[in-house]
Amino acid sequence: MTEHRARKRFGQNFLQDHGIINRIVRSIRPGEHEHLLEIGPGQGAITEEILRSGCQLDVIELDRDLVPILQGKFGALPNFHLHQGDALRFDFSEIAKDKPLRVVGNLPYNISTPLIFHLLSQHELISDMHFMLQKEVVDRLAADPGSKAWGRLGIMAQYYCRVESLFDVPPEAFTPRPKVQSAIVRLVPHKELPHPVDDVELLQRVLREAFNQRRKTLRNNLKPLISAEQLEAIGINPGERPEKLSLADFVAITQVVANNPIDEAN
Ligand code: SAM
């Protein structure tokens, strides 16, 4: 096998535990007639197992040095398509032409949050996602309202998707070993959003303000956007902390804020 030295700046921690690789691919269950996209194939640990299903597989890898390794291993397969580039800038509509995409990846942890937001913004093209992430990020994605992990990331993920934490993966499964525990998460975009808002950007702004200082009350954090009286009018206690609110509560707040004049100085 061609030697490749893992690069920290690309978040490279390669999977080496075949038991874990097989367990991930069994959770994904790629079907022969499906179209998958793998983000960050690295040296092809998961790629190889996915390709066995005969599905159509596009992969997007940022590190140019991995391109000849991947092409050497899989380039002859007609169902394999490699894109060299940045997944954060990738327009998924280019490849999701006739079928919804199933997106998978052992993601580079340094960009996992912006990448998830980028994918959520294209949720209509995606039928499901399976990712390896830092366990702490999986806990935030799958968090319940009222818990410590509940915040902007989990609320936005659950706005668009059903989120399921599948299993944990220890550092020993990788080379080099990451300093943190990892976990596998499944996100399935809702066919119809259970709590739609008219303006998603405004929901994001409400969440940013609400969780700006977690120890402060909603009355304080949301002062620039909504009054305490308006919160009370929709049944929300202005003295509550942000993590006590549900997604539906934040959606209700956003719909009121949409009709308020916004003070841009704040
Ligand atoms: N899938 C391989 C495995 O499990 O062994 C590699 C996983 S490694 C954690 C993350 C991979 O994502 C690396 O191959 C890295 O080069 C690639 N990568 C990093 N940033 C990327 C980006 N912005 N777009 C696409 N790939 C990226």
Side-chain angles (χ1 to χ4, degrees):
M1 193 176 87
T2 321
E3 275 300 312
H4 174 85
R5 279 187 58 177
R7 292 204 169 102
K8 215 173 167 180
R9 74 188 162 102
F10 290 143
Q12 291 178 350
N13 297 95
F14 298 115
L15 269 170
Q16 57 163 5
D17 181 326
H18 283 276
I20 297 285
I21 294 167
N22 287 330
R23 198 168 166 200
I24 294 170
V25 178
R26 276 203 308 276
S27 304
I28 300 169
R29 290 186 3 123
E32 190 183 345
H33 302 291
E34 293 177 335
H35 187 182
L36 275 75
L37 167 71
E38 185 185 1
I39 297 175
Q43 305 184 84
I46 306 174
T47 322
E48 185 168 359
E49 294 306 319
I50 292 175
L51 282 167
R52 281 188 210 285
S53 69
C55 69
Q56 189 187 333
L57 179 66
D58 283 69
V59 302
I60 173 159
E61 174 54 61
L62 181 60
D63 186 349
R64 286 175 197 279
D65 290 351
L66 290 171
V67 170
I69 297 177
L70 289 162
Q71 287 294 20
K73 283 186 179 173
F74 314 116
L77 297 173
N79 53 335
F80 175 78
H81 304 278
L82 173 65
H83 308 261
Q84 190 279 318
D86 183 351
L88 280 172
R89 293 163 188 268
F90 198 72
D91 176 2
F92 301 104
S93 64
E94 269 183 34
I95 58 164
K97 292 229 161 70
D98 34 289
K99 283 181 197 167
L101 273 181
R102 303 191 65 200
V103 186
V104 305
N106 170 12
L107 296 187
Y109 294 171
N110 49 350
I111 58 157
S112 56
T113 303
L115 201 49
I116 288 169
F117 275 104
H118 181 55
L119 287 155
L120 292 176
S121 74
Q122 302 189 51
H123 64 103
E124 286 120 336
L125 304 171
I126 298 172
S127 59
D128 65 12
M129 300 177 254
H130 289 82
F131 297 130
M132 170 98 75
L133 294 163
Q134 223 170 298
K135 181 172 165 46
E136 181 249 325
V137 176
V138 170
D139 289 347
R140 286 200 279 138
L141 286 167
D144 291 321
S147 69
K148 250 182 150 179
W150 182 242
R152 192 168 86 95
L153 181 65
I155 296 171
M156 284 317 297
Q158 294 178 32
Y159 176 79
Y160 288 114
C161 304
R162 178 170 62 76
V163 183
E164 207 181 329
S165 166
L166 298 185
F167 57 92
D168 294 353
V169 179
E172 301 78 60
F174 306 83
T175 178
R177 293 181 182 185
K179 290 200 179 72
V180 291
Q181 288 286 332
S182 303
I184 302 287
V185 67
R186 173 184 290 145
L187 299 107
V188 183
H190 299 300
K191 293 215 165 60
E192 272 190 39
L193 297 178
H195 303 285
V197 285
D198 299 330
D199 182 348
V200 180
E201 303 225 330
L202 193 56
L203 171 63
Q204 303 236 38
R205 174 152 186 207
V206 166
L207 293 173
R208 263 197 309 275
E209 300 277 359
F211 286 94
N212 190 17
Q213 301 197 45
R214 295 181 74 101
R215 288 156 158 272
K216 288 201 173 172
T217 60
L218 291 166
R219 177 192 285 109
N220 278 309
N221 283 339
L222 290 178
K223 206 180 263 170
L225 299 177
I226 188 169
S227 68
E229 293 71 29
Q230 286 180 309
L231 286 170
E232 274 167 355
I234 53 171
I236 294 171
N237 175 1
E240 204 62 274
R241 304 222 186 283
E243 64 263 28
K244 295 283 183 230
L245 266 58
S246 66
L247 165 61
D249 291 331
F250 283 112
V251 165
I253 292 174
T254 305
Q255 302 294 44
V256 175
V257 172
N259 295 313
N260 280 350
I262 291 187
D263 178 0
E264 286 303 336
N266 281 294

